[in-house]
């Protein structure tokens, strides 16, 4: 059992930055993978990025690859998502997700692969 809690969401102006954090408790394996999805109203949940806690390997969606960075925050024991040059189209509820699997980018970009989810944090980018 894994519990996930997101933080760091909020309101930011077009072009601004935010850093999201995901804290996990419960069972933790060396192959633990944690990532981020987002969902805007009327749209399907969209993969953003994921990191393998053990290896440090990352997978990022093409749509955000140049602007977002996922990384381990060792001091806080969290998985963080640094979001720069935010745009109104980035507005969504952002969810932290975790799984004990690791596979291809196609596999890891599917929400059905993740067993654990946080409650979500709202990110709103205003023009």
């Amino acid at each position: 059992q894994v519990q996930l809690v997101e933080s760091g969401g909020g309101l930011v102006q077009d072009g601004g930055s935010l850093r999201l954090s995901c804290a996990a408790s419960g069972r933790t394996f060396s192959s633990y993978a944690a990532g981020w999805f987002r969902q805007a109203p009327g749209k399907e949940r969209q993969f953003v990025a994921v990191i393998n806690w053990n290896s440090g390997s990352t997978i990022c969606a093409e749509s955000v690859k140049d602007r977002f960075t996922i990384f381990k925050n060792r001091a806080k024991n969290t998985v963080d998502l640094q979001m720069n040059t935010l745009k109104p189209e980035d507005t969504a509820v952002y969810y932290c997700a975790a799984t004990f699997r690791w596979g291809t980018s196609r596999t890891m970009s599917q929400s059905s692969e993740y067993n654990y989810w946080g409650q979500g944090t709202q990110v709103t980018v205003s023009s």
Side-chain angles (χ1 to χ4, degrees), residues 6 15 19 37 70 102 109 119:
E6 306 99 331
R19 179 176 291 179
F37 287 74
I70 187 169
W102 187 257
S109 67
Q119 80 286 353

Side-chain angles (χ1 to χ4, degrees), residues 40-108:
K43 294 189 176 181
E44 295 184 353
R45 192 161 295 186
Q46 180 185 45
F47 171 74
V48 177
V50 65
I51 186 169
N52 184 310
W53 184 263
N54 183 56
S55 69
S57 297
T58 62
I59 303 170
C60 296
E62 289 292 330
S63 60
V64 301
K65 187 177 182 180
D66 295 335
R67 299 182 294 117
F68 294 5
T69 303
I70 187 169
F71 64 97
K72 297 181 291 185
N73 188 327
R74 198 168 72 91
K76 296 173 60 179
N77 196 33
T78 61
V79 172
D80 292 358
L81 182 70
Q82 179 66 44
M83 305 185 294
N84 297 326
T85 320
L86 284 161
K87 305 174 181 179
E89 50 263 45
D90 295 316
T91 296
V93 177
Y94 283 69
Y95 297 90
C96 182
T99 182
F100 293 108
R101 293 176 57 86
W102 187 257
T104 65
S105 60
R106 288 186 177 182
T107 297
M108 301 308 296

Side-chain angles (χ1 to χ4, degrees), residues 1-7 21-29 32-36 53 73 76-80 96-100 116-119:
Q1 189 72 34
V2 176
Q3 294 81 44
L4 305 174
V5 179
E6 306 99 331
S7 63
S21 293
C22 176
S25 62
R27 286 284 189 179
T28 302
F29 285 63
Y32 175 72
W36 293 90
W53 184 263
N73 188 327
K76 296 173 60 179
N77 196 33
T78 61
V79 172
D80 292 358
C96 182
T99 182
F100 293 108
Y116 309 100
W117 294 84
Q119 80 286 353

